[in-house]
Amino acid sequence: LAAASSKFADLGVSASSAADAEIELVKAGVSVKDILGGALQGTVALAAAGQIDLGSATEIAASAMTQFQLKGAAIPHVADLLTAGADKALGSVQDLGEGLKYAGLSAHQAGLSIDQTVGILAEFAQAGLIGSQGGTTLQQVLRQLESPTAKAAKEIQALGLNLYDAQGNFVGLSSVAGQLQTKLGSMTEAQRNAALGAIFTSRAIRGATILYQDGAAGVDAWSKKVEVSGFAMTQATGKLNSLSGDFQKL
């Protein structure tokens, strides 16, 4: 591991810092094989692309891996998702990582992939729900759809929203967004606000409104926007190709 950690000087990371990241990845359950196979490189790329310290990048990557029950080999993909999301929406890699910290476990339990989750967090961020605010909003949206109050359940039934498939699995937020847009689109603003208010509390209604406005096409588009293979390393290299980057590498 020590030998592998010495090759990241071009990304402004010292061998000792990379070795510290390796230790944290091992503590998170990443195998040595996966660390050497790309997990460490993905973490370093995430740090350099997001202009955050390696410790924070390691924490974000390891947390996402644990929440979504991913293998260490998936960390480069996680880095690409977060970096692309931060590049295409408001906020930073750190903000998206913070959003994942609050929403990741709930999203995984609802059957959302990490790609879909980061896409929705980026979608929320672009509308002004950044960092923990976006993560908390997403968590609350999912919670209130999965465990609605009696009032919310009555409104869901009245609107004809189908939240579960024939096997009893949650249909996902893309489907929910599409249904909301279809069912609420012909209503007056007052009727629409009343319907959303009956289903969602004040902590979730902004997120629900974004989903309604963007519809299924918007949710799916954001998932595709963050799925850019190799984006983190490309961004990392580009951001360090400057005078300040040369000093960092030195």
Side-chain angles (χ1 to χ4, degrees), residues 175-213:
S175 175
V176 170
Q179 292 182 64
L180 286 174
Q181 194 172 67
T182 299
K183 303 293 184 180
L184 305 181
S186 60
M187 292 182 176
T188 66
E189 184 176 354
Q191 291 172 327
R192 185 163 53 247
N193 289 342
L196 289 172
I199 300 173
F200 301 99
T201 65
S202 58
R203 296 184 67 186
I205 197 165
R206 287 183 66 190
T209 301
I210 294 167
L211 293 174
Y212 152 72
Q213 291 173 339

Coordinates of all heavy atoms in Angstrom, one line a residue, residues 175-213:
S175 N -41.0 7.7 -11.1 CA -42.4 7.4 -11.3 C -43.3 8.3 -10.5 O -44.3 8.8 -11.0 CB -42.7 5.9 -10.9 OG -44.1 5.6 -11.0
V176 N -42.9 8.6 -9.2 CA -43.7 9.4 -8.4 C -43.8 10.8 -9.0 O -44.9 11.5 -9.1 CB -43.1 9.5 -7.0 CG1 -43.8 10.6 -6.1 CG2 -43.3 8.2 -6.2
A177 N -42.6 11.3 -9.5 CA -42.6 12.7 -10.1 C -43.5 12.7 -11.3 O -44.2 13.7 -11.5 CB -41.2 13.0 -10.5
G178 N -43.5 11.7 -12.1 CA -44.3 11.7 -13.3 C -45.8 11.6 -12.9 O -46.6 12.3 -13.6
Q179 N -46.1 10.8 -11.9 CA -47.5 10.8 -11.5 C -48.0 12.1 -10.9 O -49.1 12.5 -11.2 CB -47.7 9.7 -10.5 CG -47.5 8.3 -11.0 CD -47.8 7.2 -10.0 OE1 -48.9 7.1 -9.4 NE2 -46.7 6.5 -9.6
L180 N -47.2 12.7 -10.1 CA -47.5 14.0 -9.5 C -47.8 15.1 -10.7 O -48.8 15.8 -10.6 CB -46.4 14.5 -8.6 CG -46.3 13.8 -7.2 CD1 -45.1 14.4 -6.5 CD2 -47.6 14.0 -6.4
Q181 N -46.9 15.1 -11.6 CA -47.1 16.0 -12.7 C -48.3 15.8 -13.5 O -49.1 16.7 -13.9 CB -45.8 15.9 -13.7 CG -45.7 17.1 -14.6 CD -44.4 17.1 -15.4 OE1 -44.2 16.2 -16.2 NE2 -43.6 18.0 -15.1
T182 N -48.7 14.5 -13.7 CA -49.9 14.2 -14.5 C -51.2 14.5 -13.7 O -52.1 15.1 -14.2 CB -49.9 12.7 -14.8 OG1 -48.8 12.4 -15.6 CG2 -51.2 12.3 -15.5
K183 N -51.2 14.1 -12.4 CA -52.4 14.2 -11.5 C -52.6 15.7 -11.1 O -53.8 16.1 -11.0 CB -52.2 13.4 -10.3 CG -52.0 11.9 -10.6 CD -53.2 11.3 -11.2 CE -53.0 9.7 -11.4 NZ -54.2 9.1 -12.0
L184 N -51.5 16.4 -10.9 CA -51.7 17.8 -10.4 C -51.6 18.9 -11.5 O -51.9 20.0 -11.2 CB -50.6 18.1 -9.4 CG -50.5 17.2 -8.2 CD1 -49.4 17.6 -7.2 CD2 -51.8 17.0 -7.4
G185 N -51.2 18.5 -12.7 CA -51.0 19.5 -13.7 C -52.2 20.3 -14.1 O -52.1 21.4 -14.5
S186 N -53.4 19.7 -14.1 CA -54.6 20.4 -14.5 C -55.3 21.1 -13.4 O -56.3 21.8 -13.6 CB -55.6 19.4 -15.1 OG -55.9 18.4 -14.1
M187 N -54.7 21.1 -12.2 CA -55.3 21.8 -11.0 C -54.9 23.2 -11.0 O -53.9 23.7 -11.6 CB -54.8 21.1 -9.7 CG -55.3 19.7 -9.5 SD -54.7 19.1 -7.8 CE -55.5 17.5 -7.7
T188 N -55.7 24.0 -10.2 CA -55.3 25.4 -10.0 C -54.2 25.4 -9.0 O -53.9 24.4 -8.3 CB -56.5 26.2 -9.4 OG1 -56.8 25.7 -8.1 CG2 -57.7 26.1 -10.3
E189 N -53.5 26.5 -8.9 CA -52.4 26.6 -7.9 C -52.8 26.3 -6.5 O -52.2 25.6 -5.7 CB -51.7 28.0 -8.0 CG -50.5 28.1 -7.1 CD -49.8 29.4 -7.3 OE1 -50.2 30.2 -8.1 OE2 -48.8 29.7 -6.5
A190 N -54.0 26.8 -6.1 CA -54.6 26.6 -4.8 C -54.8 25.1 -4.6 O -54.5 24.6 -3.5 CB -55.8 27.4 -4.6
Q191 N -55.5 24.5 -5.5 CA -55.8 23.0 -5.4 C -54.5 22.2 -5.3 O -54.4 21.3 -4.5 CB -56.6 22.6 -6.6 CG -58.0 23.1 -6.6 CD -58.7 22.8 -7.9 OE1 -58.1 22.7 -9.0 NE2 -60.0 22.6 -7.9
R192 N -53.5 22.6 -6.1 CA -52.2 21.8 -6.1 C -51.5 22.0 -4.8 O -51.0 21.0 -4.3 CB -51.4 22.3 -7.3 CG -50.1 21.5 -7.5 CD -49.5 21.8 -8.9 NE -49.3 23.2 -9.2 CZ -50.0 23.9 -10.1 NH1 -51.0 23.2 -10.8 NH2 -49.8 25.1 -10.3
N193 N -51.4 23.2 -4.3 CA -50.8 23.4 -3.0 C -51.5 22.7 -1.9 O -50.8 22.1 -1.0 CB -50.8 24.9 -2.7 CG -49.8 25.7 -3.6 OD1 -48.9 25.1 -4.2 ND2 -50.0 27.0 -3.7
A194 N -52.8 22.6 -1.9 CA -53.6 21.9 -0.9 C -53.3 20.4 -1.0 O -53.1 19.7 0.1 CB -55.0 22.1 -1.1
A195 N -53.2 19.9 -2.2 CA -52.9 18.4 -2.4 C -51.5 18.1 -1.9 O -51.3 17.1 -1.1 CB -53.1 18.0 -3.8
L196 N -50.5 18.9 -2.3 CA -49.2 18.6 -1.8 C -49.0 18.8 -0.3 O -48.3 18.0 0.3 CB -48.2 19.6 -2.5 CG -47.9 19.3 -4.0 CD1 -47.1 20.4 -4.7 CD2 -47.3 17.9 -4.2
G197 N -49.7 19.8 0.2 CA -49.7 20.0 1.7 C -50.3 18.9 2.5 O -49.9 18.7 3.6
A198 N -51.3 18.2 1.9 CA -51.9 17.1 2.5 C -51.0 15.9 2.6 O -51.1 15.1 3.6 CB -53.3 16.7 1.8
I199 N -50.2 15.7 1.6 CA -49.3 14.6 1.6 C -48.0 14.8 2.3 O -47.5 14.0 3.0 CB -49.0 14.2 0.1 CG1 -50.3 13.8 -0.6 CG2 -48.1 13.0 0.0 CD1 -50.2 13.6 -2.1
F200 N -47.4 16.0 2.1 CA -46.1 16.3 2.6 C -46.1 17.4 3.6 O -46.8 18.4 3.5 CB -45.2 16.8 1.4 CG -45.1 15.7 0.3 CD1 -45.8 15.9 -0.8 CD2 -44.2 14.7 0.4 CE1 -45.7 14.9 -1.9 CE2 -44.1 13.8 -0.6 CZ -44.9 13.9 -1.8
T201 N -45.2 17.2 4.6 CA -45.1 18.3 5.6 C -44.2 19.4 5.1 O -43.7 19.3 4.0 CB -44.4 17.7 6.9 OG1 -43.0 17.3 6.5 CG2 -45.1 16.5 7.4
S202 N -44.1 20.5 5.9 CA -43.4 21.6 5.4 C -41.9 21.3 5.2 O -41.3 22.0 4.3 CB -43.5 22.8 6.5 OG -43.0 22.3 7.7
R203 N -41.4 20.3 5.8 CA -39.9 20.0 5.6 C -39.7 19.2 4.3 O -38.6 19.1 3.8 CB -39.4 19.1 6.7 CG -39.5 19.8 8.1 CD -38.9 18.9 9.2 NE -37.5 18.7 9.0 CZ -36.7 17.8 9.7 NH1 -37.3 17.2 10.7 NH2 -35.5 17.7 9.5
A204 N -40.8 18.7 3.7 CA -40.6 18.0 2.4 C -41.3 18.6 1.2 O -41.0 18.2 0.1 CB -41.2 16.6 2.6
I205 N -42.1 19.6 1.4 CA -43.0 20.1 0.3 C -42.2 20.7 -0.8 O -42.5 20.7 -1.9 CB -44.1 21.0 0.9 CG1 -45.2 21.1 -0.2 CG2 -43.5 22.4 1.3 CD1 -46.5 21.7 0.4
R206 N -41.0 21.4 -0.4 CA -40.2 22.0 -1.5 C -39.7 20.9 -2.4 O -39.6 21.1 -3.6 CB -39.1 22.8 -0.9 CG -39.6 24.1 -0.2 CD -38.4 24.9 0.3 NE -37.5 25.4 -0.8 CZ -36.3 25.9 -0.6 NH1 -35.8 26.1 0.6 NH2 -35.6 26.3 -1.6
G207 N -39.2 19.8 -1.8 CA -38.7 18.8 -2.7 C -39.8 18.1 -3.5 O -39.6 17.8 -4.7
A208 N -41.0 18.0 -2.9 CA -42.1 17.4 -3.7 C -42.5 18.3 -4.8 O -42.9 17.9 -5.9 CB -43.3 17.2 -2.7
T209 N -42.4 19.6 -4.6 CA -42.7 20.6 -5.6 C -41.8 20.5 -6.8 O -42.1 20.6 -8.0 CB -42.8 22.0 -5.0 OG1 -43.7 22.1 -4.0 CG2 -43.1 23.1 -6.1
I210 N -40.5 20.4 -6.5 CA -39.5 20.2 -7.5 C -39.7 19.0 -8.3 O -39.7 19.0 -9.6 CB -38.0 20.2 -6.9 CG1 -37.7 21.5 -6.2 CG2 -37.0 19.8 -7.9 CD1 -36.5 21.4 -5.3
L211 N -40.1 17.9 -7.7 CA -40.4 16.6 -8.4 C -41.6 16.8 -9.3 O -41.6 16.4 -10.4 CB -40.6 15.5 -7.4 CG -39.4 15.0 -6.5 CD1 -39.9 14.0 -5.5 CD2 -38.3 14.5 -7.4
Y212 N -42.6 17.5 -8.8 CA -43.8 17.7 -9.6 C -43.5 18.6 -10.8 O -43.9 18.3 -11.9 CB -44.9 18.5 -8.7 CG -45.8 19.3 -9.5 CD1 -46.8 18.8 -10.4 CD2 -45.7 20.7 -9.5 CE1 -47.6 19.6 -11.2 CE2 -46.5 21.5 -10.3 CZ -47.4 20.9 -11.1 OH -48.2 21.7 -11.9
Q213 N -42.7 19.7 -10.6 CA -42.4 20.6 -11.7 C -41.5 19.9 -12.8 O -41.7 20.1 -14.0 CB -41.7 21.8 -11.2 CG -42.6 22.7 -10.3 CD -41.8 23.8 -9.7 OE1 -40.6 23.8 -9.5 NE2 -42.5 24.9 -9.3

